[in-house]
Amino acid sequence: MIDLSTRYLGLELASPLVASASPLTKRLDGVRALEDGGASAIVMHSLYEEEIAFDQQAHDHFLDFGSEAFAEALDYVPFPQTSPGPEQYLDLLREAKAAVDVPIIGSLNGDTPGGWTRYAGMIEEAGADALELNVFLLASDPDVAGADVEAHTLDVVREVCERTSIPVAVKISTFWSSILDVARRLDRAGADGLVLFNRFYQPDIDLEAFEVLPRLTLSTPESARIAVRWIGMLDGHVDADMALTSGVHDAEGALKGIAAGATVTMMTSQILKHGPGRFREIEADLRTWLEEKEYDSVAQLRGALSRRGSRDEEAFVRANYKATLDAWRPPSTRRGPIPGR
Ligand SMILES: Cc1cc2nc3c(=O)[nH]c(=O)nc-3n(C[C@H](O)[C@H](O)[C@H](O)COP(=O)(O)O)c2cc1C
């Protein structure tokens, strides 16, 4: 029997397949469905700094997803598109904790040090097993230097870590000059986990309305590559556990993340499309692959292809930019010679 058990943020999980923050957790039946579907831990949707600051209904950051969701796959009425506010968030967290056996990870989203970070302590009191902190900082001021953005992020992380004694994972973006340096400083600032990477939802231009509009597109399996690369590079440089989020759609995606060094691999898009039952299907495929390759456990695979674990130490570092570009062939050449010509 393959051992899929995994230790993430000090929590013993039955498998590395975790539900990332999504609208599914805005209702208790969504939380239950994730556990029933096979998620080994559940990250709640985020409580936002601005919701706390103004204690009013905040606009959801993740609009427009309805058309791709799997609404018909479960008997749900549509998920609320706005978050109900801090007190309701804590109530839901308490209820979720009582309703399921898998660990519940609270989620806070903000980018300035300040009073709102006290909610880290409240999330702990409400029963969360750990906290995921999403520092959603888009550097939009040309007068603010990159070093200041980094210092600011670290201040938020330190403040949150001081306000809670449960493990804290930090969900980060790709937008740093040196991801390795920032990740190591977050690790030293107290982060027990790093969640790679935050997907920034790029606005789109609607030519008809002649407006810039928010637009959410769900991930594709290719979205995982950037995180897999940096997890592979970070393995061995940080003590924090690493979680892969973005582009995990099947067992292959999860296995690649683990081979690069991820402790857990998280899913939202795939679950929104096909329902929480995907966790069990992917778990079965993980077992089959590991069995076929004669692994006894998922732990054996972890980091086997990271920069430090692999025989080809420089594979993740080498951009191989020129070789990659040179390898491109026009589609007709790739298909081989056309018969009769
Ligand atoms: C509709 C929707 C809502 C989301 N809500 C949150 C959220 O509240 N907090 C957060 O940190 N991430 C949120 N995310 C991001 C996901 O947790 C996840 O990191 C992202 O979708 C990439 O993973 P995936 O490729 O498996 O979808 C949301 C994503 C979607 C699609």
Side-chain angles (χ1 to χ4, degrees):
M1 186 69 172
I2 304 281
D3 180 7
L4 293 185
S5 67
T6 302
R7 205 176 150 81
Y8 176 59
L9 306 178
L11 307 167
E12 299 298 339
L13 309 186
S15 88
L17 304 175
V18 168
S20 40
S22 81
L24 290 168
T25 62
K26 288 186 178 176
R27 292 170 41 138
L28 203 53
D29 54 359
V31 176
R32 286 204 186 97
L34 287 167
E35 180 183 52
D36 292 346
S40 66
I42 297 168
V43 183
M44 298 292 287
H45 62 285
S46 296
L47 175 60
Y48 291 87
E49 176 183 350
E50 55 265 43
E51 292 175 73
I52 296 167
F54 304 113
D55 201 358
Q56 63 182 23
Q57 289 220 335
H59 286 296
D60 203 296
H61 285 228
F62 302 97
L63 302 170
D64 276 1
F65 82 98
S67 58
E68 283 182 276
F70 71 106
E72 65 293 338
L74 289 172
D75 266 346
Y76 294 157
V77 296
F79 292 99
Q81 292 286 299
T82 53
S83 302
E87 293 312 319
Q88 288 88 336
Y89 185 90
L90 296 176
D91 285 346
L92 182 61
L93 206 151
R94 268 182 220 107
E95 289 169 24
K97 220 11 232 169
V100 297
D101 292 328
V102 295
I104 294 284
I105 301 174
S107 170
L108 263 183
N109 192 317
D111 64 14
T112 47
W116 69 277
T117 57
R118 73 184 190 284
Y119 269 83
M122 295 189 197
I123 284 175
E124 174 177 2
E125 278 163 27
D129 298 285
L131 176 67
E132 190 175 284
L133 172 66
N134 186 333
V135 189
F136 193 90
L137 205 162
L138 189 76
S140 56
D141 181 347
D143 289 327
V144 176
D148 296 334
V149 176
E150 292 172 10
H152 202 76
T153 304
L154 280 152
D155 285 345
V156 177
V157 171
R158 273 192 215 99
E159 206 170 298
V160 165
C161 289
E162 273 165 23
R163 288 181 184 264
T164 179
S165 52
I166 51 177
V168 175
V170 185
K171 194 169 187 177
I172 57 169
S173 80
T174 46
F175 300 119
W176 315 98
S177 299
S178 170
I179 292 175
L180 293 182
D181 170 60
V182 169
R184 213 161 51 170
R185 285 194 286 145
L186 288 168
D187 187 38
R188 289 179 188 151
D192 302 284
L194 296 173
V195 183
L196 292 85
F197 283 115
N198 210 350
R199 249 169 89 75
F200 281 105
Y201 296 97
Q202 313 300 347
D204 198 5
I205 289 182
D206 181 332
L207 285 174
E208 277 311 307
F210 218 69
E211 270 184 292
V212 179
L213 295 170
R215 176 95 58 223
L216 185 147
T217 44
L218 297 180
S219 68
T220 64
E222 286 69 39
S223 320
R225 283 212 219 149
I226 186 161
V228 167
R229 177 192 212 170
W230 286 102
I231 288 170
M233 300 265 281
L234 275 165
D235 187 44
H237 290 290
V238 287
D239 291 331
D241 295 330
M242 287 186 285
L244 166 62
T245 180
S246 275
V248 179
H249 285 218
D250 49 24
E252 203 179 301
L255 287 160
K256 287 178 185 177
I258 295 162
T263 304
V264 292
T265 61
M266 298 180 163
M267 284 189 290
T268 286
S269 292
Q270 186 64 190
I271 306 307
L272 290 176
K273 274 188 201 155
H274 301 293
R278 278 300 281 153
F279 280 106
R280 288 240 188 275
E281 290 169 11
I282 293 176
E283 185 183 314
D285 293 346
L286 273 189
R287 278 185 203 287
T288 306
W289 189 91
L290 290 166
E291 241 160 43
E292 277 173 15
K293 303 288 175 197
E294 298 184 351
Y295 282 93
D296 295 327
S297 68
V298 80
Q300 268 185 327
L301 176 67
R302 183 164 314 114
L305 285 177
S306 74
R307 184 178 179 184
R308 83 169 166 169
S310 111
R311 270 169 292 168
D312 183 0
E313 257 202 37
E314 295 308 291
F316 278 115
V317 181
R318 246 189 343 247
N320 251 339
Y321 186 67
K322 184 172 180 306
T324 307
L325 297 184
D326 287 348
W328 185 83
R329 295 281 175 275
S332 57
T333 335
R334 267 185 256 143
R335 262 188 257 114
I338 298 166
R341 284 215 188 151

